[in-house]
Amino acid sequence: MQLYYRSLEKMAHQASIIDQDWNRFVEQTRVRHVPQGTVLIETGELVKHAYFCSEGLFRLFYTLADGREYNVGFSPEDDYVTSYGALVQGKPSTFTIEAMEDSVVIEIPYYVLKELMDTSHMWERFVRKSVERLYIRKEERERELLYLSARERYDAFLLKYPGLDKRVAQYHIASYIGVSPVSLSRLLRSKPH
């Protein structure tokens, strides 16, 4: 079990979180195995947990009324995965999170995070740094969609998610960069090697 907490523990150590607080965190969270294809958070569901992906891969996507899906992000190992806005506001999630591989997450009840932040400046700093990372990623994503060409968005995807192009189907990448699978296929054929 401790193996799954290793990356989080390293981050906590960097944030100067004391052993007593770390142990309290571990006691109040749990390791959860999530099989490929399992929906971790469904659109319309109230979100009560944050998750940290220890192993595997998740995709975050919106589903339109006609059934089309748009990937807005991926969360590989050593990354957070949740609908943070829904979590904080106590509102239903506006997107779905699905395991793309057999995965393992640390399930963190939001009330636990709030208690830790209320009692420890170091935990407050730890969570703030984590949220800053998520916010920067969101801002970069918006900029990419507004300013970059399809080829540039694909290159940005490769930089942001090294090796992910070998783990997910091309149609998921196409959805993420905002093009059709046919357009992505054409783009990849024309791309200089």
Side-chain angles (χ1 to χ4, degrees), residues 173-188:
I173 298 170
S175 171
Y176 176 78
I177 67 170
V179 299
S180 72
V182 172
S183 295
L184 178 59
S185 186
R186 239 184 267 126
L187 183 141
L188 293 176

Side-chain angles (χ1 to χ4, degrees), residues 60-100:
L60 293 70
F61 64 96
Y62 289 99
T63 305
L64 300 183
D66 63 8
R68 286 181 294 158
E69 296 176 351
Y70 287 94
N71 292 324
V72 292
F74 298 95
S75 291
E77 47 278 317
D78 297 337
D79 199 2
Y80 294 96
V81 56
T82 196
S83 175
Y84 193 74
L87 181 73
V88 171
Q89 296 176 63
K91 293 184 177 179
S93 177
T94 57
F95 57 87
T96 298
I97 300 173
E98 175 187 44
M100 298 187 77

Side-chain angles (χ1 to χ4, degrees), residues 113-159:
L113 277 181
K114 288 197 301 190
E115 285 175 6
L116 289 166
M117 288 188 294
D118 287 344
T119 58
S120 166
H121 173 68
M122 295 305 156
W123 271 106
E124 188 175 51
R125 182 172 170 245
F126 176 84
V127 172
R128 178 179 52 84
K129 290 286 189 188
S130 300
V131 171
E132 286 172 354
R133 192 169 105 184
L134 293 172
Y135 184 82
I136 289 167
R137 185 184 306 157
K138 181 176 174 43
E139 201 172 84
E140 287 172 349
R141 171 93 169 118
E142 289 170 357
R143 185 188 60 76
E144 290 165 6
L145 288 171
L146 290 171
Y147 290 105
L148 302 183
S149 69
R151 181 181 301 270
E152 291 168 327
R153 290 193 305 271
Y154 180 76
D155 291 339
F157 164 81
L158 294 176
L159 282 173

